[in-house]
Amino acid sequence: MERYRSGAATKPQKRLQEALVKEAETQWQPQVKAQARQRAVTSAGLVISCRAYFGFGPEGTSDAGRMRDIMAAISSMHADLILAARESGATDDDLHELVAEAIADAYFRKEGGGRAGLHVEFKDIERLDISF
């Protein structure tokens, strides 16, 4: 390190460079994740993108259950519930229930507007991506 600080060497050896990258990641990543989580639960929420079976209406209508590709920005309240459950060791089934409720509110119920009592079925999940 002293050679690099004094300017005698400008490019770290491969071993030292790998060690520096690893150390930076171990110090930096937890802080970045914590900041992203804090933003998600206080103001920004999460974005959920998925392909799954959704249904909430009778067969033969446009609301009948079918596979859908959905991307929805969910509220910070739902984000807090999902992230807290994940951190406390919730099962996939528990997390899927929380995600289903969040998607139902954001996408199908439109935050309660006119369809507040709507029950949405969520199953056969092919893809589920959650981002901050």
Side-chain angles (χ1 to χ4, degrees), residues 10-74:
T10 57
K11 187 174 180 190
Q13 296 173 356
K14 189 174 183 177
R15 255 187 25 227
L16 177 59
Q17 187 173 4
E18 289 171 358
L20 290 171
V21 167
K22 183 179 177 183
E23 187 63 28
E25 286 175 353
T26 60
Q27 296 295 317
W28 184 252
Q29 287 302 315
Q31 295 173 23
V32 171
K33 288 178 184 177
Q35 289 170 352
R37 186 197 190 291
Q38 187 61 32
R39 272 193 313 276
V41 301
T42 56
S43 60
L46 296 171
V47 175
I48 296 177
S49 174
C50 66
R51 177 166 174 75
Y53 176 93
F54 288 93
F56 55 89
E59 290 300 318
T61 68
S62 64
D63 294 338
R66 65 181 181 270
M67 292 301 284
R68 299 174 192 244
D69 287 302
I70 291 179
M71 179 180 274
I74 65 165

Side-chain angles (χ1 to χ4, degrees), residues 48 50 53-54 74 78 82 93-109 119-123 125 128:
I48 296 177
C50 66
Y53 176 93
F54 288 93
I74 65 165
H78 284 294
I82 291 168
D93 289 337
D94 294 335
L95 290 171
H96 288 170
E97 278 184 40
L98 293 171
V99 168
E101 188 62 26
I103 292 171
D105 266 0
Y107 190 85
F108 295 106
R109 294 184 199 130
H119 172 73
V120 175
E121 191 176 358
F122 178 67
K123 60 184 182 181
I125 302 160
L128 177 61

